[in-house]
Amino acid sequence: MKKVVKFGGSSLASAEQFKKVGNIIRADESRRYVIPSAPGKRFSADTKVTDMLYGCYALAEEGKNFDKELEAIKERYNEIINGLKLDMTLDAEFEVIKKDFANKAGKNYAASRGEFLNGKIMANYLGYTFIDAAEVILFDKDGEFDAEKTNDKLSKRLSKTDNAVVPGFYGALPDGTVKTFSRGGSDITGSIVARAAKVDIYENWTDVSGFLITDPRIIDNPVGIDTITYKELRELSYMGAGVLHEDAIFPVRIEGIPINIKNTNRPEDNGTWIVESTCQKSKYIITGIAGKKGFCSINIEKDKMNSEVGFGRKVLNVFEDNGISFEHMPSGIDTLTVFVHQDEFMDKEQQVVSGIHRIAKPDTIEIEADLALIAVVGRGMKSQRGTAGRIFSALAHADVNVKMIDQGSSELNIIIGVSNNDFETAIKAIYDIFVTASI
Ligand code: ASP
């Protein structure tokens, strides 16, 4: 048995947290490859080291003095080193970082140092080999992650190393320049390493015991999810469910490796299993509810649209030409609606409207702003009669007006558009009808 274990920032924010992580790793010798994040918040008003690095580098970039800010970052690491009574110092690394900041080595490089330095401490603490992610996580010259090249190089490297620490979040371009993934990207690194080492399980350790059915900021103490499929998770995380980076499932999916989300502060909890497929039924018909505010709909009407070949293509071309990606596109006989992110669309709305008029010659175009989309996701919905009926009657009882409905033919999810103001009420109503009512 071989495992990759990734620890998030809150699991590595202090020496105390590091000790818990050390105990977890030492308790199971199959935990052979470790992916650390940068130290996160020790308490809610604290600042993550990654954010401190961004702030510090912003000063360097403006040519201002950043000594105090860099010293505060060093202090965070020294607190951990001293708390663990390690025989090491990061003085030499900080000298290099200081020079690189002054030479404007780049924002990505700056942010990556959080994981790099934490990886150094972790390797020393565990007695594992340190592998710099810049040598094994590779991006192409356009800055796109190069999955196959990385997999080749990394698997060769790991086959020679029984136990290693690979810092999360970053890699390098072909010329060696450091490049990071988007925020929370250590989850992706963990998945890449899991694939390359062909491990049995990718354990992703964080500060919650797995996924909850919905957002705890909206529902008090929502129930947890025991098992979820990659596809369900993709739908939910795309629609805003946190915990795991939305791109983290792609590498492990290639090898069918399950991900187990675990809680560093409650290691005995089972957490959530993310799997390719399962015969385990979810406890409720739905697996999860997620959603986002801040969408706009562009409603386009034209008589006899149904018989005009190429109408949809012409409309979508206008969005493409303006660099706007669309989320959903429900249509009627003579109407077509395109849902887009309001912040992406706002500045370009008049170009889009005139572009559509010019190319597709519709009768009218109407824009509606401040909409929210809610995804109700569940493998249990397939072929189950009455699920949509229950959702919409619950929403009607809660006095929520439904503006859009979109159900993919996979029957894995139903997307509902409501006004931003109805967002929380709608999620409560759906949660209650499927979960509270069956407890
Ligand atoms: N430290 C980075 C962040 O705060 C990456 C990570 O934690 O995964 O986003």
Side-chain angles (χ1 to χ4, degrees), residues 6-10 35-40 48-51 53-54 111-112 114-115 168-170 180-189 245:
K6 179 259 166 181
F7 290 89
S10 57
I35 317 301
S37 282
K48 291 177 172 192
V49 164
T50 308
D51 292 313
L53 284 160
Y54 279 128
S112 76
E115 273 67 14
F169 192 36
Y170 71 94
T180 59
F181 292 110
S182 56
R183 295 297 304 261
S186 300
D187 288 337
I188 309 175
T189 311
H245 192 291

Side-chain angles (χ1 to χ4, degrees), residues 247-437:
D247 291 339
I249 51 175
F250 296 119
V252 283
R253 208 172 162 161
I254 298 170
E255 291 282 331
I257 300 165
I259 307 175
N260 189 193
I261 308 285
K262 298 274 286 174
N263 187 346
T264 302
N265 304 314
R266 295 174 58 95
E268 61 289 351
D269 288 355
N270 287 333
T272 299
W273 283 90
I274 306 163
V275 298
E276 158 104 51
S277 184
T278 175
C279 62
Q280 285 191 39
K281 296 215 168 61
S282 50
K283 261 193 250 155
Y284 311 98
I285 294 172
I286 59 163
T287 305
I289 314 163
K292 279 188 201 164
K293 292 183 180 177
F295 292 92
C296 254
S297 71
I298 299 96
N299 308 313
I300 305 153
E301 286 199 25
K302 185 176 188 182
D303 280 348
K304 302 201 183 121
M305 183 194 288
N306 63 326
S307 54
E308 186 177 325
V309 176
F311 187 85
R313 178 185 47 78
K314 288 178 199 159
V315 168
L316 291 183
N317 256 347
V318 178
F319 286 91
E320 186 177 349
D321 290 346
N322 282 284
I324 300 167
S325 76
F326 76 97
E327 292 295 309
H328 293 280
M329 194 178 59
S331 62
I333 298 175
D334 292 333
T335 62
L336 186 135
T337 305
V338 182
F339 276 80
V340 293
H341 283 277
Q342 197 158 325
D343 53 356
E344 256 182 56
F345 176 71
M346 238 149 63
D347 292 346
K348 298 177 184 159
E349 64 169 21
Q350 295 312 317
Q351 279 113 286
V352 173
V353 170
S354 54
I356 297 173
H357 270 292
R358 217 166 291 137
I359 296 187
K361 311 213 173 356
D363 297 332
T364 57
I365 299 178
E366 260 175 47
I367 297 174
E368 188 170 357
D370 303 323
L371 299 175
L373 292 176
I374 298 170
V376 184
V377 176
R379 59 190 183 280
M381 286 176 0
K382 197 166 177 141
S383 324
Q384 175 89 30
R385 266 163 289 167
T387 312
R390 287 173 76 185
I391 294 174
F392 297 115
S393 78
L395 292 175
H397 278 112
D399 222 6
V400 172
N401 179 31
V402 175
K403 293 181 175 285
M404 192 274 289
I405 305 166
D406 194 353
Q407 177 180 304
S409 53
S410 63
E411 292 184 66
L412 188 71
N413 66 355
I414 297 178
I415 310 276
I416 301 148
V418 299
S419 136
N420 273 351
N421 294 334
D422 284 335
F423 180 68
E424 285 83 4
T425 315
I427 290 191
K428 278 198 189 101
I430 299 168
Y431 182 85
D432 283 344
I433 196 74
F434 287 105
V435 183
T436 319

Side-chain angles (χ1 to χ4, degrees), residues 83 107-108 121 142 164 330 358 384:
K107 209 171 152 187
N108 278 238
I121 297 180
D142 302 321
R358 217 166 291 137
Q384 175 89 30

